[in-house]
Amino acid sequence: MGKDRKTFRLRRFTVACGLAAAVSLAAAPAAQAHESHRVASGETLSGIARHYGTSVTALAAKNGIADPDLVFAGTTLVIPDGDGVSSSASASTAPAPSGGSVTDIILSAAAQQGVDGAYLVSIASCESSLNPSAVNPAGYYGLFQFDKTTWAEYGSGSIFDPAAQASAAAGLIAAGQSSRWPVCG
């Protein structure tokens, strides 16, 4: 009889815990329901972004993903709460960064490094059409289309941050390395 009583108590505890969990989930606001997502085999970042109504750029930035084409199954992603561009909007229509327009950010970086601002803007315009979220399938990212190796050496922060990209590009040009942009430089 002692064993039956323990089994009954255990079942009652399990049911009570299950009900408490269900009540706490039901009481949570809808925005909280999508705090994270575990990547399943075959999923893409664009599919996940579309599912949660955010952008690939916002999802990549929130999770520190430098290469949006490279996401591993089993990874748990944090879903941005409404700070992304809707999936129907293209990355090129993303709002300008809070520090001003992309052009203003580039001109500011050029002035800080003592390089020609118009020249720096023309490189970014040629490389990415002034789109901080630009991704080239060949492995180049952001305004100035840095690859991961160059970014690791000369960049800082997110490879998609326009201020960081402009600062790194201006620094390289100031150091006489405009040849890094052979087509646009």
Side-chain angles (χ1 to χ4, degrees):
M1 184 144 165
K3 184 177 177 185
D4 289 337
R5 198 173 276 171
K6 285 181 188 175
T7 303
F8 176 74
R9 284 184 188 154
L10 180 60
R11 283 187 189 149
R12 189 170 58 185
F13 176 76
T14 304
V15 169
C17 288
L19 287 174
V23 168
S24 69
L25 284 175
Q32 299 277 328
H34 299 132
E35 286 184 339
S36 65
H37 175 87
R38 188 168 181 93
V39 178
S41 179
E43 281 188 304
T44 63
L45 207 56
S46 61
I48 295 167
R50 189 171 33 259
H51 176 78
Y52 290 104
T54 188
S55 70
V56 171
T57 304
L59 199 53
K62 184 81 170 182
N63 291 281
I65 298 172
D67 184 353
D69 295 325
L70 188 61
V71 181
F72 298 100
T75 302
T76 300
L77 300 174
V78 176
I79 306 302
D81 19 307
D83 57 354
V85 178
S86 78
S87 60
S88 61
S90 69
S92 63
T93 61
S98 60
S101 75
V102 171
T103 302
D104 290 343
I105 290 170
I106 295 169
L107 292 172
S108 175
Q112 289 174 357
Q113 294 289 334
V115 299
D116 181 5
Y119 177 64
L120 199 59
V121 169
S122 74
I123 292 173
S125 183
C126 175
E127 289 288 346
S128 68
S129 299
L130 298 175
N131 178 2
S133 305
V135 175
N136 181 316
Y140 299 95
Y141 307 93
L143 278 176
F144 292 90
Q145 294 292 283
F146 282 101
D147 63 22
K148 290 181 189 178
T149 304
T150 305
W151 188 253
E153 189 172 345
Y154 298 102
S156 135
S158 170
I159 199 166
F160 293 105
D161 178 359
Q165 280 245 345
S167 178
L172 286 167
I173 290 170
Q177 296 191 32
S178 60
S179 62
R180 290 182 177 271
W181 295 274
V183 174
C184 297

